[in-house]
Each structure stands twice: as structure tokens, then as C-alpha cells.
Amino acid sequence: MHDHRSPTQQERSRLLRLCVLMTVGLLTVITLQGTAQTAETTAVPTHPAEPPITDSDREHWAFRPLQRPDLPQIRRKAWPRTPIDTFILAKLEAAELQPMPEADRATLLRRVTFDLTGLPPTPAEIDAFIADTSADAYERLVDRVLASPAYGERWAQHWLDLARFAETDGYEHDHVRPNAWRYRDWVIQALNNDLPYDEFVRLQLAADELVPDDESAAIATGFLLCGPDMPDINLQDERRHTFLNEMTSTVSSVFLGLQMGCAQCHDHKFDPVSQLDFYRLRAFFEHDNLFKEHPVPTPAQRADRERFERRRATEMKQLTQKIRQIEMLARAVPKASANNKQPAEPSDIADRLDPPQRKKYRDLQDRLAHWKKRRPPKMPMGRVMREPGAVAPVSYLRVRGDFRRLGPQVLPEFPRIVNTSGASGFTPNALTSENRSSGRRTALANWLTRPDHPLTTRVMVNRVWQFHFGRGLSPSSSDFGYMGDMPTHLELLDWLATELPRLEWSLKRLHRLIVTSATYRQASRPITTADSATIDGQSPHERWQLATQIDPENELLSRSPRRRLDGEAIRDAMLSASDSLNREANGPGIRPPLPDELVRTLLKNQWNVTKDTGNHSRRSIYLFVRRNLRFPLFDVFDKPDTNASCARRNTSTIAPQALTLLNSRLSLSAARNLATIALQSADGDRDRQIEICFLRTLSRRPSADERRLANTFLTEDSDRLRRQSRGQQSAESIAGVDAETEPYEIAALTDLCLALFNLNEFVYVD
Amino acid sequence: MRSSVRDRFRLSEQIARPTSTDRRRFLLHAGGGIGALALATLLQGDGTLTAAQGATRQNGSIRNPLAPRQPHFAGPAKRVIYLFMHGGPSHVDLFDPKPDLIKYAGQPLPDSFGQVMTRRKVANNPLLPPIKPFRPRGQSGLEISDFLPHLAKCADDLCVIRSCHGDSVNHPQSVYQMNTGSILMGKPSLGSWVSYGLGTENQDMPAFVVLPDPGNGVKGGPPAWGSGFLPATHQGTTMRAGLNPILNLQPQPEISLEQQRAALDLIGKLNARHLVERDFDDQLQARIDSYELAYRMQAAGPELVDIRGETADTLRLYGIGEKDTDDFGTRCLLARRMIERDVRFVQLYSGDTNGWDAHNDVASNHGVHCRRTDKPVAGLLTDLKRRGLLDDTLVIWGGEFGRMPMSEQGTGRDHNPWGYTVWLAGAGVKGGITYGSTDAVGLRAAQNPVHVHDLHATILRLLGFDHELLTYYHNGRDERLTDVAGTVIKDILT
């Protein structure tokens, strides 16, 4: 792929190099074609025709060796709670700004709960936290939230966006991949178990090689294989080529924060990434068995299977022996009615036996047939990496990205710009113990997770930061090249990048560090609280005003960013508020019913609704992901298309979102369920009903003003419903509530809940 | 460095950031929102925030992604109707007469044509002559097959490009390419690029509407009208005939409109308080506005699809009420009604999962699909013309590819992406002409070949865009509809 800008002065030299390379490259292609067989031993990391990596390339902020910066000097020494705050405050002070005071407790609770679990706090959690006046109440809250399984279910979605995870192929037939969910579950479990990030990376690239004794470990490599695929294309070479290039681009984008995709056709126009770099990276993954499903049993399942097979073999051997013995004996006896001496056919054998022996013979035969028929315990299957053998296939550059045009042969090598160690990507000696696999991906995984790797930790801590604050320290979180955005806080980014290995690569410890910072705890709006004393002569309001003037985009984090929930969290929050969220974890993707209008447009079997209706209210992460049919609620709230890795979601504000939240079946049924809860637990006490509804949707109690508004609304709405005789329908299904006397109350309360689900405050987290 | 390079070609985003005074004025006057008195009370009531303090700026800026925008230059076309013939209509049977196909019928393709890649290995099959005769039509003498007697009357309005070609013999890849320029799924479609580039004049309706075939099942599915890496706002919104044309456009049956209005008023009041406490955050304001738009859409949608006010003459023109043409005719009429309401880009699909994919019997397959679409398409062109809408509306007709000159299973034809026909009509294109040609038998584009990228470049040009400058920065690259290619076909422009 190309880029279309006119080059600036700085870019011209690179373009010039490109032209030279294209000419030389053409010659190279011609000469190397003839020597392809010997190239295996003669390949060098840098091809003569490749633009060399210059010193200035190595000076780019993201490629520089990682060094742990010192903490900067600050004036207001009492504010920081963590080193993060020192870095943030230093920049604020340099801009003559002061951070905002800490947000109130209810806000903090809602913020950190949604952030880490994708769910709202329950009324009990709210009361408990507000009542907890101990000094470390917040820290203990964070620990509790991080320990909740909901944490992995939330953060897995961020990772699955990066992994362009879906459960179908896409393209024409959009075939279902029946085992794709195993990778989704693996990610959730890895996060919940706080699998160290280096291990998390290594397993997704090479678990099959790294953990050869546990076939189920290979499920992690689903990361590489869960992209779109076109199995029906005429030319299978084209399919394989497209798939491998997509995999290569995704790996570099996710782990390295390098957009190498453009280098599949030609040298990158801006970044120091050559086309050879691209195909060398691709060479780590090439093998001829990419599209097959493989068994992925746990060791116990494998042992079960082997035990069964051993037993079957033994049984069959014994049975066969016994049968043979009888047959031999029988053959010695001439058939009662036969005169000839021909050896007896097996079918005759039974005739030659006396009845007890015949019964025994038949019985043995039956048992043998039974064992022949018995199937061993079924092995779980999965699309995972499993190379057919230890020998890696020969890889080639593809001229202009055309799968039909082989360029020079390439060996697996790390991209030169980040390979400061000089390590070679792959030597044939790096094979695993049993040589079942080439070991190429192990070499890549080990190199990527070196603690001094300039990109791996920089990229990851920036992603984690982005998911907490809505924007990374470098906003282009999958592009750390020249075209990416310079970090707003480079020293902080480097400090965090060196911190991650010190935290033993624990993502939970990294989360904890971030969310317990004073930076994270700031208010997101102008407020007056206990610690809002005047600082440097500025009141909180003056501080707010200055912050919004000097730091309008909040790049300096002079206040906490307000964030809109995504579609998945909105659905989970509505189900949770109405106590209808089914918290069961894991398993194949769930297909809840779709709106009738949509169902009419579907192909046969495109969306077979999950039979067990109880599953329809499972968390959003467990809903089936079809490439060609996004779940409508998520679609409208910017769920990314699953055809390419998505580093950061859009946040659009469009009318169809309002239509969905106002008019969808999901909203109404959640509103009705919430109304029911309010009625059942505060029978007759309208004020208490209103309070319950606010608490469950907005995580706070209503103000006096809001109580008054809600009360007036309920009165007017139930009067109107009574006049129009509407509302019975709503009352029918509510247990424990007198439908005779209260149908309009219930319907009005449902309307109130529906309104609450539509508030800005419901979908935005302060 | 980057931003300067990028900004140079960025579309003009003249939408000024509203000042908070503007925002407050909006609040004061917004229908259904909170009344002026209540707001004044809010602003001055409890003393935590005075009106003056409310005037500071807040996080980021928000602009409506669908606000109307100026293209690079004044283009003749203001809007587009794209008639997509799904499955691949046969150019050699409809718009591209080949005397040699009759002459050499039954014989294999001469060796001089070299190797042909086909989907179903038909390269060595005998040549199949056109199913029906062609005749010169109109004043221009443009040749159109007897398959299309109604459209033949519009011949003088058509600009028939006979030398189109694409890159894949497979359906989904070609459907994606015709719509997005790329054979890979997940790139933004033409309609979404136009929505991104021009926004829409009618804020009560989406900018890009798709009317799928009721049989549905476009090969490749909704990504054909997806927005890829462009903001989701720009993806095609599917609409159906009938009372509920857009998903969730109406409240659930249990909720009356009056009830909903009351709920909306409560939402407005609570949102206004929330907004004031948050210093008039633009994002929150934008979301408040979106509720008013949604409310208006609920009224605009049903009004749009309600064709009871159309005259009997108009209905007849489109073939509405006739068995074969009722569906496509109704959708063509809806397309005109959308265009009248300033929807920017309307795409209609003809053909279910198989559609025009005439592998085993061109006569019966194309017989059915021509019968269903011929009169409606001609009716649409006639109606647009008599209303003066054809002057600034571009109509596009075509499938994902054409069909092979060789036969398949005796009387069918296989896919042919190497040479086929697409026609344009209306704003800015010459009528009654052909452009380019295929080889002697219609196998490959020969003279003045027009790749899909060239077609896209030309369509963008007609809308006022330089296709090289309509870009969107994504994953390290300024992406465009025409990738690194595309040449405008100047000869067909008026």
C-alpha cells in the first residue's frame, strides 16, 4: 500500500532511497531467483538493496533504548500519591496549572468500577463504600474490584478489539468457527489470573512450542489466526498470502506499535521499515497448515483419551485371542453335516460349536464389535498454530505484494529498527526438544519480551493508560512510528515502560498503580469539596477555568476525562441495574434474539437464536461475534469492524443511538424489570422507589430537585396512562405486585426507568 | 510535521466551534428541551455555578460529522442513486453487442485470447451468442438488447461504459471492490466516502441509505455498505419499505408517542442539569441534540415511505402495483423521495443471494431480473428527468462484474471481471454515448479500459472531489477510495 501525501523535505531522501531500491530490487529479484536454494545459509539481516537504518532513525523517541527517567522536580510536593502524579504535576506546573480536587466518593466508585469491570457498582457496594471511612478504603476497593472475575471479562474486550476477534470467517459464506470462543475464554482467564504480560505475549505467539506437553495451551495462539479469511477464493495461494500478511501486520501493530502493513508492497515511506523487514517478520509464521483445526485437550483430557485407547487395544487384543482360540478348536472338529475336509469358514464356526460354547463365542464377538464401535472421548478442537514439523518452509518476499511474484528468499528476522541487540531471529538450533515445530515463533516471542525491548513495554503501558483515560500518553497507540503522535508525557511513558517488568509484568499491579494515583482520582467537573482549598491563590473554580482555557483538550490531564460507555457496557449496565444479568462465564458465543425487522433480512442459519433463553442475558463479552452481522446495539455504539486490529474505538454521537436506547426491546424490558424491583422493594413508598431507580442507574441518590421532578413525572404519567387505559400489559408479569390496583403506577415507573437509561449521566462516566 | 501534511488535504471543516453563549442560546430555544425560565433558574439558582463561570470551555470540540460540507470544487452531482445488480449482469446480453459472438457461436475461444482465469473452469467451453437481439435506440442509436425495452427508451440519457474491469472472479471480493475499491472486506464504501466528504443537508435522515433486495443475501453482506475505518456514522443505513423502515425507529407497542414525548421532556430536564454542572461539555451537548434529531427522524421516516400521496400516473411509471415490478418499482420511487429530501447517497440492490448470477440459463435468469427492474429503472430516470432532479443527481447502474462470452452448462455464463459494462446517467455525464470497448467477443476490456478505481475517481469527480485528496488518516496512512490508482474518465464528462 502506498501513502498519498506529497513528501515534505524530510521525507524526500527516504523516497529517493525507495526509487533506488525499486531499481536495485528488480535486479535482485532476477539474480536471487536463480540462487534460491542456497540462500538459506547466505541470508544476511540487511540486504544490500535495503535502505539502511540511520542514526537519526534510532533517535526517534519510540526506538531509543529504554532508560528509566528520574522523577521531575515539583513545587506542590503534597499532591502526588504515586510517581505517576509527579510526572503529571510537573507538566501542569510548567503550564501554571493546578490539578483538580479529588472527585467525590460516589463518583470515584462509579468510575473505577466501570473502568475495571465494565459494570456499575451495586446499591450494596455503594452504601458500603460511602460508609467506609478508613484511610485505605479506596485502595481496598481497587483490590476487591481487580479480584472480581468481571475484571477479565471487561479488559478482554479491549484485547479482543486489538486481536480483531470474531467467530466467523467473513466474506461470502461467513462460516462459523465453532471453537473460536476458546481463545476469548483464554484471554479472560489469563487476565483474571494476572498472567504476566510477557507470558501473555509469549503464549499467544508460540504456546504450542513453549508448552508442548499441554495441547490446550495452544488455544492462546488463536490470536494469530482469528482474522478474516476467504476459504472459497479461487486461488488458495492468494488466500494464504492475504491471511499471512494480515497476521504479520496485526502482530507488528499490536505488539510493536508499528504499522508495517504498508511494507507488504514496498518499503515504508516514512518509518524505517523495509519490504524485506515485513517479509522477514512474516517468515516467522509461514507454514502449510494454517487453516486446520487441531485437538486442544488438556493433559488430563489427553490422558483420558490415551487411557481409553490403551484399554480398547488391550480389550480388543484379548477378545481377539479368545475368539481365535475357539475358532482353532472349532476348526479341528469336522462340521456335523459336512463330509469334506476343507478348512472351516468363520461363518461356519458357530455351527461347529456346542450351544454353551456357541453362546460364549457370540458373546465374545459382540464385545469385540462393541469395542470396535466405541469412540474415544471427544477431544476439544481449535484453530491453533501447530506446525507440521521442525522444518520451516522457504519464505520469499512478494514483489509489490503480489502473491504470484516471488522476490528474494528471506529468513525470519526481527525488524531491524528495533533489533538493537543484533540477535538473529532464527537459527535452526533453536528447535524445541522434540523438534515438532521449527521454533521460529519461540525465538520471536523471547525477543519481544526482553525487558529492554524498546517497544513492547512502551506500547503496552500506553495501551493500558489509554483504556483508563480514554487517550494514550501517545494517542496513536498502535503507531509509534514517525507518523504516530509524540507522547504528551514521554518521561512518564518511559518510566511506566521500565516499571512494568519491575512489577513482574503484572497488569493488575499496573492498573492498581494507575487508578490509585491522584491523577486518576481528580474530579472531572468544577466542584467544591473538602480539599478544595485555595492553592497559589486559586479557588477550585478558578483552577477549573484556567485548566479549560490553557488545556482545552485535557492533554495535560488537568482534570479527569469524562468517558462514554461503549455498547457492551451499556447493555451490561442495563441488565445489571435490573438484576437480570446472567453472570455465568465461558463457553460458546450466545445469540440472543434480534429485532424482527432485522430477522426478516437474515440468511438461513445466519443467527440461530440460542435455545436456552436464560443465556440471552449473559454479559456482552459472551455474545457471538459474527463478522458480517454486528449485534445492533454494539454496532450503533461504535463497535469496531472485526476485520482489522482496532487500537482505540471511535466515540460517535448519532441519532440512531438515541433511537436504540429509547425504542429497543432491550431498553424497555430492562426498564420494566428495574421498575419491578423498585416496586417490590419499596411498595407504596414512591420516594423510595425513585431512589432505588437512581441508585441502580446513576450510582447515586437523587437530589431534592430531581426527586421533585421524578415525582411530578410519575404523577402526570400515571394519570395520562389511566386516562388512556394503557398499562395493563406492563402489569401482567409482575409477581408480588397487585396488578389490579397498580397497573398505571408500574407503567409510569417503567417510563421513568426508561428515561434514566437514556440520560447522559447513564452513558457517561465522570 | 505530520499534522501540517495532513491538514493540507483535510476537508474543510468550517463548522465553527459553538461558543458557550451559542450553546446556551440553543438550550434556551431548543424545542422539547428545558424552558428558558427553568434554565435561568438553574444557572443562577444554587450559587455553585454562575452564568459567567458557565462560559468557559470544556473538553475537546465536537462537530456534527454529518453537517453539510463543501467538496473540493463545485461538482455537477449533488447526490447519487446507485442501482446495484447483484450477481453480475451479462454485458454481452444487455449493453455490449458482439457480432463475432454470433459468428463464432458454438466454437471454442480462439487460442489467440490466451489463458483465461475463470471461476468455474469454462475457458474451453463453446462461445454462446447473445440471448436476444440488440437494436439501435433513440436518436443516439445506442444499442440495447431486447431484454430491456423500457430502458431502451431512455437510451439518449445513458453513458454506457463498456470497458470496465476488476480484479477478482469471486462474488464477495468483487462486490467489495465495486463498493469499496478493494477486494478485501472492511474498507469504506463509496457511499460512506461521499457521506464523509459531503455530509448531508437533511439532518432528519441518514446521509447514506441502502435499500436491500427483500430476498437479501448480498454476497459479502453488510460490509458492502460499511464504513470501514471511517466513523460509523457514515455507514449505509438499511431501510425497508413499510411502516418501520429503520431499526428501532418507533417506540415499542406498549409506549405511545405521547408517553415517549413526556419521557423525552424529563430526559431533557435532567440532562440540562447534568450539563450545567459539567460546564457545558460539548460532547454532552451533542448527545442532547441527538435526541431531538432522533425524535424528528421518527416522524420523517414514516413520512418518507408513505407513498400514498403519489399520483396514479407516477405509480404506473414505476410499475408499482404490477406483480413483477412492484417491489423494485417501490424502492426506485423511495429512492426518488429520498433524493428529494436531500439524502446524499441511495443504493438499491436487485437480486437475492443468487441474483443475476446466471450460471446455467441466462435467458430465464436475466428474463426474470430484467422484467423486475427494466420498467422501474426507466421510470426512475423518466421521473427524475421530468422533475429536473436528473440535472444534479447521478444514477449508476452495474453489478460486481459481467459474464463470460463462453457458455456454462450449455446456456449459462460464468463470472467475468475482465471486461463488463456499467452505465451512468444524469448530473455531469454525456447521454447517448458509449465509452471504451471490450475485445471481439466481450472477454476483456480492450479500448480505453476503465478499472474500478477509474470509475470511482470519476464518480468522486462528478461530486466535486479530487479522488486523491479525499483522504482519511488511518493506521499510519492517508487512506482513499482509489488506493494508489484511479484516473478520471474526462471524455464522458459534459
Side-chain angles (χ1 to χ4, degrees):
Chain A
M1 292 201 277
H2 295 243
D3 206 290
H4 323 295
R5 277 172 290 261
S6 298
T8 63
Q9 290 289 358
Q10 285 165 297
E11 293 151 4
R12 289 232 166 84
S13 65
R14 190 169 291 284
L15 285 176
L16 194 67
R17 286 209 303 262
L18 173 80
C19 297
V20 173
L21 175 77
M22 280 164 94
T23 322
V24 180
L26 202 66
L27 297 171
T28 318
V29 173
I30 296 160
T31 47
L32 283 192
Q33 286 285 37
T35 59
Q37 290 314 304
T38 54
E40 221 165 315
T41 49
T42 57
V44 286
T46 294
H47 196 272
E50 244 178 324
I53 306 289
T54 64
D55 286 348
S56 86
D57 289 334
R58 299 222 184 266
E59 274 303 298
H60 178 65
W61 64 267
F63 305 143
R64 257 181 257 158
L66 258 182
Q67 275 176 348
R68 192 170 174 88
D70 295 331
L71 297 191
Q73 291 301 312
I74 48 166
R75 289 200 301 274
R76 195 180 156 197
K77 296 201 165 50
W79 187 68
R81 290 173 181 274
T82 65
I84 290 171
D85 302 318
T86 312
F87 288 101
I88 295 292
L89 185 62
K91 290 252 177 189
L92 285 175
E93 288 182 343
E96 307 205 331
L97 289 174
Q98 289 295 339
M100 287 301 289
E102 188 163 309
D104 64 70
R105 290 202 142 207
T107 303
L108 275 184
L109 173 65
R110 182 174 166 86
R111 179 187 299 168
V112 80
T113 311
F114 263 120
D115 186 9
L116 288 172
T117 68
L119 293 172
T122 63
E125 287 166 342
I126 298 168
D127 288 342
F129 183 62
I130 304 277
D132 188 348
T133 53
S134 56
D136 61 346
Y138 179 73
E139 282 74 7
R140 283 188 290 108
L141 165 72
V142 169
D143 289 337
R144 181 178 61 69
V145 172
L146 278 173
S148 149
Y151 156 75
E153 291 168 335
R154 174 60 183 166
W155 280 70
Q157 186 62 58
H158 299 319
W159 191 259
L160 294 179
D161 279 3
L162 285 161
R164 65 347 183 183
F165 170 79
E167 298 177 68
T168 60
D169 282 342
Y171 290 92
E172 176 174 351
H173 297 293
D174 203 20
H175 289 303
V176 171
R177 297 174 180 171
N179 291 300
W181 57 272
R182 295 183 201 279
Y183 171 67
R184 175 248 285 149
D185 283 354
W186 181 85
V187 175
I188 295 172
Q189 205 172 24
L191 292 171
N192 276 334
N193 294 343
D194 201 16
L195 185 72
Y197 181 66
D198 57 346
E199 208 50 28
F200 185 69
V201 174
R202 282 156 47 84
L203 292 178
Q204 291 183 74
L205 290 172
D208 56 319
E209 294 180 340
L210 292 163
V211 198
D213 299 335
D214 177 358
E215 291 158 277
S216 72
I219 290 166
T221 63
F223 171 85
L224 297 169
L225 300 163
C226 64
D229 179 24
M230 38 173 138
D232 311 306
I233 187 108
N234 255 33
L235 301 171
Q236 289 294 304
D237 276 353
E238 183 175 9
R239 171 191 182 194
R240 208 171 145 273
H241 169 81
T242 309
F243 192 78
L244 275 167
N245 280 11
E246 192 278 336
M247 188 192 302
T248 309
S249 308
T250 301
V251 165
S252 72
S253 150
V254 172
F255 298 116
L256 293 168
L258 280 180
Q259 290 300 325
M260 287 179 68
C262 4
Q264 60 188 284
C265 301
H266 57 71
D267 294 343
H268 201 293
K269 282 197 180 166
F270 304 99
D271 291 338
V273 173
S274 68
Q275 195 185 358
L276 282 159
D277 277 325
F278 180 87
Y279 286 95
R280 287 186 195 115
L281 184 59
R282 169 174 142 168
F284 282 102
F285 305 109
E286 282 198 47
H287 69 78
D288 297 329
N289 209 8
L290 285 171
F291 301 113
K292 250 189 79 178
E293 286 213 319
H294 301 277
V296 286
T298 59
Q301 286 170 317
R302 176 56 79 190
D304 267 359
R305 165 113 176 187
E306 280 168 2
R307 204 173 305 122
F308 171 87
E309 272 165 356
R310 271 197 307 276
R311 180 160 170 229
R312 180 167 69 172
T314 315
E315 291 275 354
M316 283 174 68
K317 196 173 158 194
Q318 287 174 352
L319 288 166
T320 313
Q321 271 174 358
K322 284 180 190 160
I323 289 172
R324 276 224 194 97
Q325 277 174 359
I326 295 177
E327 284 174 352
M328 266 161 60
L329 287 171
R331 281 199 190 96
V333 183
K335 199 174 174 185
S337 60
N339 296 324
N340 57 45
K341 297 225 167 182
Q342 292 290 318
E345 291 298 315
S347 55
D348 299 335
I349 299 238
D351 297 340
R352 300 171 187 238
L353 301 172
D354 56 27
Q357 260 197 320
R358 188 179 304 152
K359 183 176 178 304
K360 191 182 169 197
Y361 180 68
R362 293 229 160 103
D363 183 49
L364 286 169
Q365 278 188 317
D366 285 350
R367 280 167 63 196
L368 182 65
H370 164 79
W371 274 106
K372 270 187 185 159
K373 261 196 303 198
R374 255 186 85 175
R375 290 282 149 255
K378 224 174 160 187
M379 293 286 94
M381 303 293 284
R383 240 163 90 125
V384 299
M385 275 291 198
R386 195 154 290 160
E387 297 181 16
V391 181
V394 181
S395 302
Y396 299 92
L397 178 144
R398 308 292 160 135
V399 180
R400 297 189 62 134
D402 184 339
F403 67 99
R404 285 162 293 213
R405 296 173 65 190
L406 297 191
Q409 190 179 341
V410 290
L411 282 178
E413 288 287 350
F414 314 126
R416 293 163 306 144
I417 182 60
V418 266
N419 187 10
T420 47
S421 63
S424 172
F426 173 68
T427 55
N429 298 334
L431 298 180
T432 49
S433 51
E434 293 164 287
N435 290 6
R436 287 199 299 220
S437 198
S438 68
R440 288 169 294 168
R441 284 172 288 112
T442 300
L444 177 66
N446 288 339
W447 170 75
L448 261 175
T449 51
R450 294 164 57 126
D452 64 344
H453 194 286
L455 284 172
T456 305
T457 53
R458 274 189 178 120
V459 167
M460 188 55 185
V461 297
N462 188 60
R463 292 195 193 286
V464 173
W465 188 275
Q466 174 198 291
F467 294 130
H468 282 299
F469 289 97
R471 177 173 53 200
L473 293 165
S474 167
S476 57
S477 47
S478 277
D479 189 358
F480 275 24
Y482 290 145
M483 301 306 287
D485 298 310
M486 181 73 189
T488 49
H489 299 76
L490 181 55
E491 289 78 17
L492 173 55
L493 179 64
D494 281 2
W495 186 87
L496 286 168
T498 56
E499 186 68 7
L500 185 58
R502 293 181 184 212
L503 298 173
E504 295 166 314
W505 300 82
S506 158
L507 293 177
K508 285 193 178 181
R509 290 173 69 184
L510 181 63
H511 292 308
R512 194 176 192 282
L513 179 70
I514 293 173
V515 303
T516 57
S517 70
T519 307
Y520 184 84
R521 298 194 210 184
Q522 289 180 95
S524 62
R525 57 194 181 101
I527 52 161
T528 315
T529 63
D531 83 327
S532 62
T534 305
I535 298 166
D536 292 349
Q538 290 170 8
S539 73
H541 272 308
E542 286 163 329
R543 276 191 258 162
W544 176 266
Q545 257 182 304
L546 269 179
T548 51
Q549 278 160 19
I550 296 173
D551 183 23
E553 306 297 324
N554 201 16
E555 288 174 334
L556 299 177
L557 286 167
S558 52
R559 55 204 176 273
S560 186
R562 181 166 303 114
R563 301 187 55 197
R564 197 199 72 197
L565 298 178
D566 54 30
E568 288 89 336
I570 290 172
R571 176 177 170 277
D572 289 352
M574 291 203 295
L575 292 173
S576 175
S578 53
D579 271 354
S580 18
L581 188 64
N582 175 349
R583 294 297 297 275
E584 194 183 322
N586 307 337
I590 303 297
R591 287 172 245 209
L594 297 175
D596 289 344
E597 299 98 312
L598 193 60
V599 171
R600 260 178 258 132
T601 70
L602 296 181
L603 297 173
K604 201 176 161 218
N605 295 331
Q606 200 178 2
W607 193 265
N608 296 331
V609 172
T610 301
K611 292 213 174 65
D612 176 3
T613 54
N615 272 324
H616 296 171
S617 51
R618 295 268 300 274
R619 281 202 76 175
S620 301
I621 186 92
Y622 297 116
L623 299 197
F624 189 76
V625 188
R626 192 176 256 298
R627 283 210 150 82
N628 285 1
L629 180 72
R630 272 178 273 185
F631 192 67
L633 174 71
F634 306 159
D635 191 12
V636 83
F637 279 100
D638 306 292
K639 181 183 175 68
D641 151 313
T642 48
N643 296 312
S645 172
C646 173
R648 187 179 169 196
R649 292 189 177 194
N650 268 318
T651 316
S652 69
T653 299
I654 51 172
Q657 294 166 350
L659 290 173
T660 305
L661 290 189
L662 273 175
N663 294 340
S664 67
R665 199 74 228 163
L666 173 72
S667 298
L668 184 59
S669 67
R672 184 172 301 157
N673 289 338
L674 177 52
T676 308
I677 293 169
L679 271 174
Q680 283 169 341
S681 45
D683 195 22
D685 180 351
R686 190 185 261 183
D687 194 56
R688 175 78 188 123
Q689 290 165 6
I690 294 170
E691 188 173 291
I692 289 170
C693 296
F694 269 70
L695 211 52
R696 283 173 168 268
T697 50
L698 309 179
S699 319
R700 65 174 176 86
R701 293 191 159 72
S703 69
D705 186 33
E706 287 164 334
R707 282 178 205 270
R708 189 174 44 72
L709 273 177
N711 206 354
T712 311
F713 173 81
L714 288 177
T715 306
E716 289 176 3
D717 199 42
S718 51
D719 286 352
R720 177 172 37 247
L721 291 164
R722 191 168 292 117
R723 273 202 309 281
Q724 298 173 349
S725 305
R726 296 178 75 95
Q728 284 89 340
Q729 289 161 298
S730 315
E732 276 166 10
S733 57
I734 299 181
V737 173
D738 188 347
E740 286 292 305
T741 57
E742 298 174 32
Y744 308 111
E745 302 285 313
I746 298 164
L749 202 55
T750 300
D751 286 344
L752 174 68
C753 294
L754 188 60
L756 291 172
F757 285 141
N758 278 277
L759 290 184
N760 276 352
E761 190 172 349
F762 180 69
V763 299
Y764 273 91
V765 176
D766 270 319
Chain B
M1 176 192 87
R2 191 191 70 195
S3 57
S4 66
V5 178
R6 220 196 289 172
D7 285 349
R8 193 155 6 124
F9 298 140
R10 189 181 274 174
L11 280 165
S12 45
E13 294 173 3
Q14 303 95 336
I15 316 305
R17 277 184 189 169
T19 65
S20 38
T21 328
D22 292 336
R23 284 191 293 275
R24 214 168 308 111
R25 194 175 304 129
F26 177 84
L27 258 187
L28 289 169
H29 297 289
I34 182 169
L37 210 78
L39 181 71
T41 317
L42 261 178
L43 287 173
Q44 287 143 19
D46 56 6
T48 52
L49 197 69
T50 67
Q53 283 165 332
T56 52
R57 283 238 354 98
Q58 244 288 63
N59 310 335
S61 61
I62 284 290
R63 69 181 171 77
N64 173 6
L66 290 178
R69 307 207 234 184
Q70 293 303 311
H72 299 128
F73 43 83
K78 299 285 172 259
R79 44 196 112 75
V80 178
I81 296 175
Y82 191 160
L83 307 167
F84 199 103
M85 306 297 120
H86 177 241
S90 173
H91 58 297
V92 290
D93 292 304
L94 301 175
F95 295 103
D96 194 4
K98 290 293 165 191
D100 276 13
L101 257 194
I102 301 171
K103 200 164 145 196
Y104 299 108
Q107 299 181 28
L109 190 69
D111 289 343
S112 58
F113 283 84
Q115 283 232 317
V116 189
M117 178 159 59
T118 64
R119 173 68 175 155
R120 297 201 179 171
K121 302 195 172 68
V122 299
N124 300 320
N125 290 4
L127 295 169
L128 178 70
I131 307 297
K132 292 198 177 191
F134 281 80
R135 295 173 215 282
R137 317 279 184 169
Q139 299 202 321
S140 57
L142 192 83
E143 286 189 85
I144 296 179
S145 152
D146 278 1
F147 265 122
L148 301 167
H150 291 95
L151 187 67
K153 294 176 202 148
C154 303
D156 292 341
D157 292 317
L158 305 187
C159 169
V160 179
I161 305 170
R162 286 177 173 167
S163 53
C164 292
H165 65 105
D167 301 329
S168 171
V169 296
N170 297 73
H171 285 288
Q173 283 79 3
S174 297
V175 168
Y176 293 146
Q177 184 166 40
M178 276 314 273
N179 278 293
T180 73
S182 167
I183 63 167
L184 301 181
M185 75 189 295
K187 301 289 193 285
S189 53
L190 175 61
S192 64
W193 277 108
V194 173
S195 164
Y196 161 70
L198 291 176
T200 178
E201 309 276 347
N202 182 351
Q203 295 299 323
D204 298 354
M205 292 291 299
F208 173 20
V209 174
V210 179
L211 294 159
D213 190 277
N216 232 285
V218 170
K219 289 186 171 163
W225 50 84
S227 59
F229 43 75
L230 294 177
T233 324
H234 300 296
Q235 70 184 324
T237 300
T238 48
M239 283 185 80
R240 292 158 291 270
L243 280 176
N244 230 348
I246 296 180
L247 207 55
N248 294 316
L249 188 64
Q250 301 301 329
Q252 294 291 325
E254 296 93 319
I255 307 280
S256 69
L257 279 174
E258 202 184 351
Q259 218 174 329
Q260 188 200 51
R261 186 65 254 179
L264 277 169
D265 288 343
L266 178 67
I267 293 166
K269 286 174 193 165
L270 293 172
N271 274 347
R273 281 163 172 73
H274 181 258
L275 180 72
V276 171
E277 287 166 356
R278 280 152 190 82
D279 197 12
F280 298 92
D281 179 327
D282 288 338
Q283 299 176 37
L284 300 177
Q285 180 62 61
R287 192 166 179 278
I288 290 172
D289 299 349
S290 76
Y291 271 73
E292 287 310 314
L293 169 55
Y295 189 70
R296 293 200 302 275
M297 272 174 81
Q298 290 186 157
E303 188 273 334
L304 171 82
V305 294
D306 182 0
I307 58 171
R308 283 172 301 185
E310 299 283 345
T311 65
D313 170 54
T314 302
L315 298 182
R316 226 180 357 258
L317 188 63
Y318 285 87
I320 294 170
E322 293 174 47
K323 184 169 151 281
D324 286 331
T325 48
D326 189 66
D327 160 63
F328 202 69
T330 305
R331 287 190 286 137
C332 280
L333 177 59
L334 289 182
R336 190 215 80 207
R337 291 174 63 90
M338 288 182 203
I339 289 301
E340 283 177 319
R341 285 157 183 77
D342 276 317
V343 171
R344 194 62 83 175
F345 198 109
V346 186
Q347 190 177 38
L348 274 74
Y349 281 83
S350 154
D352 59 5
T353 315
N354 295 319
W356 295 70
D357 197 16
H359 280 286
N360 52 24
D361 187 356
V362 177
S364 77
N365 174 293
H366 278 35
V368 168
H369 287 98
C370 289
R371 240 186 342 269
R372 288 183 185 166
T373 56
D374 180 37
K375 192 174 189 182
V377 173
L380 175 66
L381 287 176
T382 310
D383 200 20
L384 289 176
K385 196 168 181 179
R386 71 181 183 183
R387 288 166 195 263
L389 288 165
L390 202 54
D391 295 338
D392 56 3
T393 302
L394 177 68
V395 181
I396 309 167
W397 180 99
E400 65 267 41
F401 37 52
R403 306 207 76 84
M404 286 286 171
M406 297 78 82
S407 61
E408 181 180 354
Q409 300 169 59
T411 54
R413 296 186 193 276
D414 194 9
H415 312 164
N416 183 3
W418 316 125
Y420 58 94
T421 296
V422 167
W423 60 252
L424 307 177
V429 290
K430 292 174 183 163
I433 66 158
T434 63
Y435 179 84
S437 61
T438 49
D439 54 28
V441 295
L443 175 62
R444 297 188 179 98
Q447 204 191 8
N448 293 328
V450 174
H451 188 268
V452 177
H453 290 315
D454 305 326
L455 188 65
H456 287 162
T458 309
I459 293 167
L460 290 182
R461 166 63 164 269
L462 287 164
L463 287 157
F465 292 106
D466 179 337
H467 69 101
E468 295 187 359
L469 304 187
L470 182 64
T471 64
Y472 187 85
Y473 185 75
H474 170 71
N475 277 357
R477 187 172 186 251
D478 275 338
E479 295 282 354
R480 43 182 251 226
L481 174 62
T482 50
D483 195 22
V484 295
T487 307
V488 174
I489 321 165
K490 296 222 170 77
D491 290 350
I492 66 168
L493 307 180
T494 51

